[in-house]
């Protein structure tokens, strides 16, 4: 009749959260700075939740709005991480982009020079590839570029769940539906890393007030669960150090 084993609480241990089953959500917003980015910034700030913005270099450089919005993200480093999502976003010609990995690599380096991120996290345009310590998911199309980004020490993070948008660029799933899917993915361990879930959204989905309210509602629903914490992707397990 032995007693319960003692749980060793080792302060500062990176294993602690995994041991206790704490579940971490990473909100990520892609393709800004665009109309809608300021709503994402405002809502995350009001709700005091961390998020990661995958920025497109071209969108940052082409207007004063882009530069100001970019600066707003950088200025709130406690809450936000800014990461590299390429310079041209493949000009939305993905086949051409990924068939020319050398120029695609240069595109990421150009974005790095413009965005000057303080982390080495990237996301491929239009492709859910991953490359971290112990995690590699890349289709044959993107593998040559993934290997090149890897060789210069960059991490690639995709997503576990996407909040999709329709032809008008407006959110498809309701906040309640999406929150239930989050619960289910955690419960059934259907995330790339157990107990860690990355959500992909696009800034432009939340440009209309009615749609930005949906983002706020979604975040509130997740907070009400009481069992999730929000982090920036700079805290994701397995990042290669630069
Ligand atoms: Zn994108």
């Amino acid at each position: 009749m032995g007693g319960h084993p003692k749980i060793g609480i080792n302060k500062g241990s990176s294993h602690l959260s995994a041991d206790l089953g704490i579940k971490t959500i990473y909100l990520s917003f892609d393709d800004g700075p665009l109309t809608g980015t300021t709503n994402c910034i405002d809502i995350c700030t009001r709700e005091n939740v961390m998020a990661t913005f995958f920025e497109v270099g071209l969108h940052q450089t082409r207007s004063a709005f882009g530069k100001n919005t970019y600066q707003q993200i950088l200025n709130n480093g406690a809450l936000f991480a800014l990461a590299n999502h390429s310079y041209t976003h493949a000009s939305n010609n993905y086949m051409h982009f990924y068939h020319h990995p050398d120029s695609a690599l240069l595109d990421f380096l150009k974005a790095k020079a413009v965005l000057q991120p303080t982390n080495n996290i990237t996301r491929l345009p239009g492709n859910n590839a991953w490359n971290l310590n112990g995690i590699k998911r890349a289709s044959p199309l993107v593998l040559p570029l993934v290997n090149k980004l890897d060789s210069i020490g960059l991490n690639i993070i995709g997503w576990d769940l996407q909040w999709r948008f329709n032809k008008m660029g407006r959110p498809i799933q309701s906040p309640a539906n999406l929150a239930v899917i989050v619960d289910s993915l955690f419960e059934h361990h259907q995330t790339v890393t157990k107990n860690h879930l990355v959500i992909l959204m696009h800034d432009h989905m939340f440009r209309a007030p009615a749609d930005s309210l949906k983002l706020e509602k979604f975040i509130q629903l997740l907070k009400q669960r009481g069992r999730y914490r929000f982090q920036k992707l700079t805290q994701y397990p397995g990042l290669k150090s630069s």
Side-chain angles (χ1 to χ4, degrees):
M1 295 286 282
H4 293 288
K6 281 183 183 169
I7 299 171
I9 302 292
N10 175 12
K11 277 189 179 168
S13 163
S14 61
H15 302 295
L16 187 59
S17 61
D19 293 344
L20 299 180
I22 292 171
K23 294 173 174 57
T24 306
I25 291 172
Y26 305 83
L27 303 175
S28 65
F29 298 99
D30 279 22
D31 297 359
L34 288 173
T35 314
T37 305
T38 46
N39 286 342
C40 300
I41 293 171
D42 291 347
I43 288 164
C44 290
T45 304
R46 195 154 62 229
E47 293 295 330
N48 195 31
V49 292
M50 295 187 191
T52 304
F53 289 84
F54 283 92
E55 300 284 277
V56 174
L58 181 62
H59 296 173
Q60 186 263 26
T61 56
R62 68 186 174 185
S63 69
F65 167 82
K67 292 189 183 79
N68 290 339
T69 309
Y70 157 82
Q71 201 60 49
Q72 277 186 53
I73 297 166
L74 274 196
N75 288 349
N76 198 343
L79 222 46
F80 303 137
L82 188 144
N84 186 341
H85 193 38
S86 82
Y87 187 81
T88 60
H89 205 274
S91 305
N92 292 317
N93 186 345
Y94 301 118
M95 293 304 281
H96 184 271
F97 187 76
Y98 292 117
H99 278 139
H100 297 81
D102 285 315
S103 58
L105 174 63
L106 290 176
D107 197 76
F108 270 95
L109 293 176
K110 186 174 180 183
K112 187 180 178 187
V114 166
L115 297 170
Q116 301 191 332
T118 56
N119 57 68
N120 56 0
I121 297 170
T122 63
R123 176 174 283 164
L124 300 192
N127 192 283
N128 190 6
W130 290 72
N131 193 40
L132 307 169
N133 279 332
I135 300 170
K136 187 161 194 170
R137 297 188 177 196
S139 66
L141 175 66
V142 303
L143 187 59
L145 175 61
V146 166
N147 288 337
K148 285 178 188 295
L149 294 171
D150 182 52
S151 72
I152 58 169
L154 295 175
N155 295 284
I156 302 171
I157 299 186
W159 57 90
D160 296 298
L161 171 64
Q162 179 178 1
W163 196 345
R164 301 192 315 276
F165 55 86
N166 63 19
K167 286 177 184 166
M168 307 293 287
R170 303 186 62 182
I172 292 178
Q173 302 103 314
S174 72
N177 280 345
L178 207 64
V180 168
I181 295 170
V182 168
D183 296 337
S184 171
L185 291 174
F186 274 126
E187 191 178 334
H188 298 103
H189 305 305
Q190 290 171 330
T191 55
V192 169
T193 301
K194 184 182 171 184
N195 292 336
H196 295 265
L197 186 143
V198 181
I199 301 173
L200 164 64
M201 297 168 280
H202 286 83
D203 305 29
H204 69 81
M205 294 164 58
F206 306 113
R207 62 197 184 282
D211 294 327
S212 69
L213 282 176
K214 291 181 184 174
L215 173 60
E216 186 145 30
K217 179 70 180 173
F218 177 53
I219 291 170
Q220 288 169 348
L221 287 170
L222 294 175
K223 286 166 84 173
Q224 284 164 15
R225 300 305 207 248
R227 57 181 180 273
Y228 300 140
R229 65 173 180 184
F230 295 84
Q231 283 281 11
K232 297 176 279 188
L233 280 169
T234 46
Q235 299 300 312
Y236 195 88
L239 291 181
K240 297 176 291 181
S241 53
S242 48

